[in-house]
Amino acid sequence: MTPLARKRLNKIALNTAGVLVFLFAVFPVYWMVSTSFKANDQIFTTDFIPFPTHFTFEHVNTVLTDGVAGNSIWVYMRNSAIVALGTVLIGSAFALLAATAVARFRFKGRTSFLITLLIVQMIPTEALLIPLFLNVRRLGLYDNLLGLIVIQVGLTLPFGIWMLRTFVAAVPKSLEEAAWIDGASRFTTFWKVLFPLVAPGLVATSIFSFITAWNDLIFALVLMKDTTGYTMPVALQFFFGQRGTDWGAIMATSTLMTLPVIAFFLLVQRRMVSGLVAGAVKG
Amino acid sequence: MPGWSIPYVLLVPGIVVIAGLLLYPMIQMIIMSFQSISLRVIRGVAEPEWVGLDNYTKLFDNDIFWSSLRNTVVFAAVTVALTLILGTAVGALLNRLSKRMSTFVIIGIMSAWAVPPVAQGTIWRWLFDAEAGIINWALNLLPDALSTLIFGRADWTGQPWLNDAWSVYVVLVLTVVWASFPFVAVSVLAGLRGIPAELYEAARVDGATPWRTFRKITFPLLKPVFAVLTILSIIWDFKVLSQLYVLLNGPTNREAFNLSLFSFAEAFKAPPKMGTGAAIAVVLTIILLIVTAFYTRQMVKQEDLT
C-alpha cells in the first residue's frame, strides 16, 4: 500500500470511529425525543420504528395540559426553575466572595479552609440526606422551595469556590493595584475591574450549580410533600405505574426536562469545558 | 474596616454554609448512627434514644447490607474502569480528527453528558423495556448461531432486563458509562492539546511505536488529569442513586440496592429507621474517604495551599 493510500484509509477509519461514537452518544437522546412524538401503536410494538411516521403532539399535549398528579407540568417546571435559579444567585455570590478571599489574600486559616474544601467534596452528599431532612423540618422549611434552595447552595458551594478561585487568581493583581493608585476604593475595584474579568468563570460555576439543582431527585423527593411543590424529576416518577406505564408521556416529560439543559450546554460548551477542566485539573 | 479582616468578612457566608449544611450534618449523621430515631423524634416531640452499636451490629447481620456493599464496590470498579478507558480512547480520537469532525462529535457527546440523571434512567429503562425495548429487538437481529455462541440464547423476545439484580446492573453500567465518558473525553482532549507537538515529533524521529509514545510521553504528562478524573469518577460512581432509583422504579428490589439506595430506603420507607440509614451512610462515607485519602494527600501536597 502506498503511504498516501494508507493515510487515506487511516482517515476513513478515524472518521468512522468518530461517527460511531457520535451515534452511541446521541441515539438514546434521539430515541427519547422521537418516542415523545410517536403515536401509541408505534410506541408499543416489537418492531423498530426509526422515526415517528404517525407524528403526534398527543403526549406533549397530555403532559402540558393534564400534567401528572393533578398539576400541569408547568407547575413543576416553574418549581425546578425557582430552585435552580435561586441556587445560582445565592451560591454564585457566596462563591465569588470566598474565592476572592482565598485567591487574593494571605491570611491565617487559609490553608485549613482550602483543605476543608477538598475534604467536604469527598463526602457523599446523599449521605447527608437524613440529618438535612431533620434540620429542614426543625427550621420550618419542610415542603418549602426555600429549604430546597438552601440545601442546593450547600451542596454546590465547595466545588463552586474551588473552581472559581482559579479564575480569580488568573486576573493579574497589577490591574487592581493600578485602579487603587488611581484612587478607586476596594469596592469599586472589585466591581469595575475584578468582576468583569471573572465573569466567564462565574458563568461556568453558575451553570454547574444550575444543572446540579435542576437535576436533583432525592432531596426534592424527600423535602417536598405537597404535589404543587414537586420539581420535574419528582413529578416524573408519578408517570410510572400510574395507569400502566405511559411511555409516550414519560418520554415527553423527560424531553422537556432535558432539552433546556442540552441547549444550555451547547451554548456555553467551550466555556463549560475550560471551566471544569481549569477547576478540576489545574486545581 | 481594618485590612486584615477583609478576607474573613468575605469568607463568612461560605463558612456558614459549609459548616451548617455539610460539616454539622456530617457530625449529626455520625451521632444518629448510634441512636434509634422514632417517628415521634422525627415529629420533634421526643428525644432520640441511644442504642450504642446496635444499628451497626444489626446492619452487619443483614444480608441486604452485604449485597448492597458488593453491588456498590463492584459497580464502581467496573464503571470507573470502563468510563476512563472509553473516555481516554475517545479523547485521543478527538485529538486526531479534523476540527470540523471533532466539533461534530463533541456536540454529540455533550448532549449525552447533559442529560439529567433521572432522564438517563428513563431513557435506558425504555431502551431495555421487556415488551417494546429496542435492545431486545436488536439482539434478535443477531444471527441465532452467533447469539447462542456469545450469550447462550437466540431468542430475546420479552427478556425482562430489570427484574433481576444482575441484569439491572448491566443496564446501570451502560447508563452511567454512556453519560460520563464524555466528560473524561473532553478533559483528556484538553490535556492532549496542551502537550507540545515537538515532543511527538522527537519521538517520531526516534522511531518510537505509538504504544511507547503513549507510555513515555502522553501518559506521564496527563497523569495529573487522569488522577483527577479517576477520583471524580470514583466519587460519582460510588453514590449513584437517581439512575438506579428510576431503573428499579423506586426502592423495590432489595437485592439490587447499592449503599445509597439502601440508606434511603431504610430512612424514608415506612417504618422509617433513620438510625440504620445513618449507619449505612457512615459506612459509605468511610469507604469513600479511604479510597480518596491518598488522592487528597497528593492534592494537598501538590497544591500551592500556603
Side-chain angles (χ1 to χ4, degrees), chain A residues 33-155:
Chain A
V33 178
S34 71
T35 303
S36 354
F37 295 110
K38 281 178 189 167
N40 273 333
D41 62 322
Q42 297 206 320
I43 291 179
F44 300 102
T45 167
T46 46
D47 282 337
F48 173 61
I49 299 178
F51 39 82
T53 42
H54 301 167
F55 191 89
T56 172
F57 280 108
E58 182 198 340
H59 307 295
V60 180
N61 264 333
T62 309
V63 167
L64 290 181
T65 53
D66 303 352
V68 63
N71 301 299
S72 145
I73 210 79
W74 293 116
V75 174
Y76 310 124
M77 194 68 120
R78 193 201 61 204
N79 291 337
S80 279
I82 291 173
V83 173
L85 287 175
T87 305
V88 167
L89 288 178
I90 303 174
S92 306
F94 288 8
L96 182 59
L97 295 177
T100 310
V102 290
R104 272 292 183 261
F105 297 90
R106 293 287 171 271
F107 55 93
K108 223 175 154 201
R110 181 177 170 274
T111 313
S112 338
F113 179 74
L114 285 174
I115 292 175
T116 312
L117 271 191
L118 259 180
I119 292 173
V120 292
Q121 286 180 63
M122 307 297 162
I123 307 172
T125 47
E126 281 81 354
L128 302 177
L129 181 62
I130 299 169
L132 286 174
F133 165 77
L134 291 176
N135 296 346
V136 163
R137 275 187 79 109
R138 272 184 219 126
L139 290 172
L141 290 175
Y142 178 63
D143 205 11
N144 184 330
L145 289 175
L146 183 63
L148 215 45
I149 294 175
V150 170
I151 301 256
Q152 292 300 335
V153 168
L155 301 186

Side-chain angles (χ1 to χ4, degrees), chain A residues 26-27 58 120 192 206 226 250:
Chain A
V26 166
F27 180 78
E58 182 198 340
V120 292
K192 294 274 161 76
S206 298
D226 197 87
I250 287 173

Side-chain angles (χ1 to χ4, degrees), chain B residues 151-220:
Chain B
F151 304 107
R153 59 184 293 175
D155 182 24
W156 294 89
T157 313
Q159 165 70 15
W161 291 90
L162 301 170
N163 285 358
D164 168 63
W166 198 86
S167 53
V168 165
Y169 273 89
V170 172
V171 180
L172 187 65
V173 167
L174 268 167
T175 309
V176 175
V177 170
W178 168 75
S180 38
F181 86 89
F183 174 63
V184 176
V186 292
S187 305
V188 168
L189 176 65
L192 285 172
R193 288 196 174 147
I195 299 177
E198 298 88 62
L199 286 177
Y200 288 109
E201 271 156 40
R204 197 158 47 229
V205 172
D206 290 348
T209 61
W211 175 236
R212 202 180 147 74
T213 315
F214 177 81
R215 261 184 44 225
K216 294 289 172 184
I217 301 176
T218 316
F219 187 74

